């Protein structure tokens, strides 16, 4: 067999591949990857792989904890927590509702307005969970802040005090 016959199909395939437009990878859900969600239940099994046959690696015991979906396979989602630990959970254990985790070494201050000099509403200890209500976009004067509900209090938290959203993400 001549190499000429092998070269022609290879050349045609490479030309077709070069002419094809670049596309975003499709996900099982059709939603973007990565994205933040929250845990739906008080106990969520995190497995070593995408299926119930895989062993449970650990169990989250904190409903509404924000986690980041970094991959999808069928009805399973690979998630990452605030510490960077990853594992697989079934999609039914996740909620699209947006939550936050207060991060840092010292309490974060919820404020009446999105300004450092605005009166305090409450202080939230590191590790406290809350609900993200809105986060203005990068062109908004309040871009460095998010309106949140934490332990029954509503107010503005600095983005840098929150884990559960991307730096320039807008939440409406």
């Amino acid at each position: 067999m001549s190499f000429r016959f092998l070269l022609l199909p290879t050349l045609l395939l490479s030309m077709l591949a070069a002419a094809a437009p670049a596309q975003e990878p499709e996900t099982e859900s059709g939603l973007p990857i990565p994205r933040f969600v929250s845990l739906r239940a008080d106990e969520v099994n995190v497995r070593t792989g995408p299926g119930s046959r895989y062993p449970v690696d650990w169990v989250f015991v904190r409903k509404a904890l924000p986690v980041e979906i970094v991959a999808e396979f069928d009805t399973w989602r690979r998630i990452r927590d605030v510490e960077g630990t990853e594992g697989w959970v079934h999609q039914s254990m996740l909620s699209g509702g947006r939550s936050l985790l207060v991060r840092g070494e010292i309490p974060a201050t919820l404020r009446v307005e999105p300004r450092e000099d605005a009166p305090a509403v409450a202080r939230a200890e590191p590790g406290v969970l809350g609900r993200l209500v809105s986060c203005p976009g990068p062109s908004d004067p309040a871009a460095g802040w998010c309106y949140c509900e934490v332990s029954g209090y509503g107010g503005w938290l600095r983005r840098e005090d929150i884990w559960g959203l991307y730096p320039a993400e807008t939440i409406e």
Side-chain angles (χ1 to χ4, degrees):
M1 183 174 198
S2 168
F3 285 110
R4 182 176 47 179
F5 293 112
L6 291 175
L7 182 60
L8 184 59
T10 304
L11 183 61
L12 286 174
L13 284 175
S14 64
M15 287 174 26
L16 286 174
Q23 295 180 2
E24 291 291 319
E26 287 194 26
T27 62
E28 298 285 331
S29 66
L31 297 171
I33 298 287
R35 68 181 179 276
F36 279 100
V37 295
S38 57
L39 300 181
R40 184 184 300 266
D42 288 324
E43 289 188 12
V44 176
N45 291 334
V46 181
R47 297 181 178 274
T48 60
S52 56
R53 293 184 199 170
Y54 288 91
V56 173
D57 206 13
W58 76 93
V59 179
F60 278 119
V61 291
R62 200 161 183 203
K63 183 178 181 175
L65 182 73
V67 293
E68 184 179 25
I69 294 177
V70 296
E72 296 182 353
F73 179 79
D74 194 28
T75 58
W76 293 85
R77 305 295 179 256
R78 185 170 180 86
I79 61 168
R80 178 184 303 135
D81 69 8
V82 67
E83 296 172 354
T85 306
E86 295 186 9
W88 292 90
V89 300
H90 192 269
Q91 69 180 6
S92 66
M93 295 289 100
L94 302 172
S95 165
R98 297 298 295 271
S99 61
L100 66 91
L101 178 94
V102 175
R103 64 179 175 184
E105 303 288 320
I106 59 172
T109 304
L110 270 81
R111 300 198 178 271
V112 173
E113 295 175 4
R115 298 187 337 258
E116 284 293 336
D117 62 346
V121 174
R123 290 191 182 266
E125 293 289 329
V128 167
L129 297 179
R131 186 171 76 91
L132 278 173
V133 177
S134 67
C135 296
S139 62
D140 191 292
W145 298 80
C146 291
Y147 189 82
C148 309
E149 292 175 355
V150 178
S151 301
Y153 295 95
W156 293 88
L157 277 175
R158 296 179 310 169
R159 280 180 179 259
E160 63 196 49
D161 294 331
I162 299 170
W163 192 82
L165 77 156
Y166 298 107
E169 183 178 11
T170 301
I171 297 175
E172 298 174 345

